[in-house]
Every structure is written in C-alpha cells, then in structure tokens.
C-alpha cells in the first residue's frame, strides 16, 4: 500500500498584527498631504500679499510703476492719459500723520481739447494700505475722455506732506476673485493640514504598536 504524499508546505503568511505595511502607507500619505498643504499655503500667501500690496507707491515713498502722475497736495502736474481708460486718484500721507485725511476739493484735469474733467467718481476698489512709512487710500476716480497730455490741479489736504498719485483703476472682478481665492485657500490649508497631521500622528502611533508587537513575537535570541 502506497503512503499518501505529504502536502506541499505553504508559504508563511505575514502576521497582520505585526506587519508595518499599514503604518508605513498611512504615514507616507500623511506626509504627502502635508506637503500639498505647504504648497497651497504658499500660493494662498502669495495671492494675499498681492492684494494687500500695491504698485502705486514704494516703501520709500517713491511712485510705483503703475503711477502715471503724482503731485503734492496742493500742487499741479501733467499726465499722459488714454481715452476711455479709467484712472483712480490715490492720496498718500506719512503713516504717523492723521488717520484717513481728506482733500479739500476734487482733483481737476484739463484735457488737451481744453475740457475740464473732475475726478469725482468712486474707485472700483476703495482700499487703504500701508507701504513703509506711507499710508495710501483710493479717494476718487475718473475716465479720460480723450488721449493726450492733461494738466492736473491737486487741491490741499488736511495733513502735511500729503501727495496725490494717479494710476489706472483696479478691476473689481480680479480683486474679488483674489479675496475669495485667499479665503478658500485658508480653509483648504486648515482642512488639509488637519487631515495630513491626523494621518501622520495615527500612522506613527500605529507604527509604534506594530513595532512592539513584532518585538513581542520575535523568537528569543540564543
């Protein structure tokens, strides 16, 4: 009688109670999520900085690259403007001076044809910001009726060393989009950060538990 063959040995299966695969994957995903959070945070900060800074005036008080004309208040200057373009009037003053000063009258511009334009409209974005020791506020706006060189008459302000700067008016839609994007970015950073930190913390705790289990089930050394 022929004896039954012995069954082939089965490969040893890893003990799920001591395997480190789960903790490693969880921790790795958490680290990846935190890296994504860092990128989102940097993009959000860049967008926010673009909203709160301006190219109207530098920190040293010099006119920024967007400025087409500047003059002391009171004072006069000239500006080369384009027909149909909307321009904003910005009032700049030393930051340690009065808070939100006002011009005594509207800024007047004389077009090349002799027509007088009053800067008495509201700017698209009525904002106030600080650059170095200077505070700047958008106080008025106007639309140039024709292209050419304008004579600009600036009234007095109720604070010393104030200046008026003319620059193209900021579009409202990109500004609002930037604000909403910054808010969404902040919430995204908070949610992703909490999720990634939770994965890393849970993965590390899980890793420690599995490592202890591996040490407990390891064969004793001879």
């Amino acid at each position: 009688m022929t004896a039954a063959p012995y069954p082939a040995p089965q490969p040893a299966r890893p003990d799920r109670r001591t395997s480190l695969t789960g903790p490693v994957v969880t921790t790795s995903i958490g680290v990846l999520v935190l890296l994504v959070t860092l990128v989102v945070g940097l993009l959000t900060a860049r967008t926010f900085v673009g909203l709160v800074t301006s190219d109207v005036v530098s920190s040293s008080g010099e006119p920024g690259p967007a400025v087409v004309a500047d003059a002391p208040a009171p004072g006069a200057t000239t500006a080369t403007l384009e027909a149909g373009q909307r321009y904003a009037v910005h009032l700049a003053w030393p930051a340690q001076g009065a808070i939100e000063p006002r011009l005594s009258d509207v800024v007047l511009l004389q077009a090349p044809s002799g027509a007088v334009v009053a800067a008495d409209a509201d700017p698209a974005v009525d904002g106030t910001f600080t650059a170095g020791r200077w505070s700047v506020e958008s106080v008025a706006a106007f639309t140039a009726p024709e292209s050419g060189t304008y004579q600009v008459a600036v009234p007095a302000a109720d604070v010393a060393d104030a200046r008026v700067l003319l620059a193209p008016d900021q579009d409202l839609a990109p500004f609002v989009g930037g604000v909403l994007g910054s808010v969404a970015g902040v919430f995204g950073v908070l949610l992703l950060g909490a999720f990634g930190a939770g994965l890393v913390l849970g993965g590390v705790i899980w890793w420690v538990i599995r490592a202890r289990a591996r040490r407990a089930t390891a064969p004793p050394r001879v």
Side-chain angles (χ1 to χ4, degrees):
M1 183 175 178
T2 304
Y6 291 101
Q10 298 295 323
R13 296 183 179 180
D15 189 349
R16 293 183 178 180
R17 295 173 299 175
T18 59
S19 174
L20 296 179
T21 302
V24 170
V25 171
T26 301
T27 306
S28 301
I29 294 176
V31 172
L32 180 61
V33 172
L34 290 179
L35 291 177
V36 173
T37 303
L38 178 61
V39 173
V40 174
L42 292 176
L43 294 177
T44 301
R46 182 178 180 181
T47 302
F48 179 75
V49 169
L51 293 175
V52 299
T53 59
S54 172
D55 52 4
V56 173
V57 65
S58 66
S59 58
S60 62
E62 296 296 324
V67 173
V68 297
D70 74 290
T77 187
T78 60
T80 302
L81 309 179
E82 298 181 5
Q85 174 68 53
R86 186 177 175 86
Y87 295 88
V89 177
H90 303 279
L91 179 60
W93 70 95
Q96 69 271 18
I99 299 177
E100 296 187 2
R102 291 291 181 265
L103 294 171
S104 61
D105 204 344
V106 297
V107 174
L108 297 177
L109 303 98
Q110 186 178 40
S113 63
V116 176
V117 180
D120 55 2
D122 293 327
V125 179
D126 187 6
T128 301
F129 63 92
T130 301
R133 72 179 190 91
W134 291 88
S135 293
V136 182
E137 182 181 7
S138 306
V139 295
F142 66 94
T143 301
E146 55 187 279
S147 299
T149 301
Y150 287 67
Q151 302 295 323
V152 184
V154 178
D158 56 1
V159 63
D161 300 325
R163 301 186 65 83
V164 162
L165 305 102
L166 304 183
D169 198 9
Q170 187 176 0
D171 293 333
L172 182 60
F175 180 81
V176 174
V179 172
L180 295 179
S182 297
V183 173
V186 170
F187 278 105
V189 168
L190 293 177
L191 293 176
L192 287 174
F195 180 62
L199 287 178
V200 171
L201 180 61
V204 170
I205 295 175
W206 193 7
W207 201 326
V208 171
I209 294 175
R210 287 291 176 86
R212 289 178 178 176
R214 287 170 68 91
R215 288 195 298 268
T217 58
R221 295 181 179 179
V222 179

